[in-house]
Amino acid sequence: DRALLLDTSGRAVLHVRTSTGNLLLTSPASVADGNPHLLAATLSGGIARLYVDGTQVAANPLPVTLAASYSGFWRAGADANITALIPGSRNQAAARQDEVAVWTGRALTSTEVASLWQANHW
């Protein structure tokens, strides 16, 4: 019920399935430019946020607290089930992935996401 991937234009897309429908957030610019990027998404306080390189690029105050409870597998860069929901999404990441991390129990703050980018980009 959650996915973070790229559409065919290289923009980051966050998908969250809620009890009332699907929430999609899309970055305004492509990240498929050959440079390293940090993509992050948080769900907290009824707001979904999408970050690129430590900066929030999209948010939606839909009731994401109603996101379905998750028991299953985390997939990074590909998910056969999500491609039907996101027009132009890829079923395989077109870029190299270096690291994937999942924090549970609480969402990272915008300051923490920015710090991850500052500490780890080159």
Side-chain angles (χ1 to χ4, degrees):
D1 67 338
R2 295 160 181 90
L4 182 58
L5 45 87
L6 302 180
D7 67 14
T8 55
S9 66
R11 296 176 303 163
V13 179
L14 168 65
H15 165 260
V16 179
R17 183 173 46 99
T18 72
S19 60
T20 59
N22 292 301
L23 168 71
L24 298 174
L25 295 177
T26 304
S27 67
S30 173
V31 296
D33 59 7
N35 295 312
H37 293 282
L38 172 70
L39 303 181
T42 63
L43 303 173
S44 179
I47 298 176
R49 300 179 201 287
L50 176 62
Y51 297 85
V52 174
D53 299 341
T55 301
Q56 181 180 304
V57 296
N60 193 320
L62 289 178
V64 295
T65 54
L66 300 177
S69 62
Y70 185 82
S71 61
F73 300 95
W74 287 95
R75 291 180 173 86
D79 187 341
N81 296 323
I82 199 65
T83 55
L85 292 172
I86 302 172
S89 66
R90 298 177 179 175
N91 193 25
Q92 180 177 352
R96 293 182 307 171
Q97 293 176 317
D98 183 12
E99 298 169 12
V100 175
V102 177
W103 280 263
T104 59
R106 71 170 183 86
L108 296 178
T109 66
S110 59
T111 300
E112 290 171 318
V113 174
S115 294
L116 283 173
W117 172 246
Q118 291 301 318
N120 293 298
H121 79 283
W122 57 104

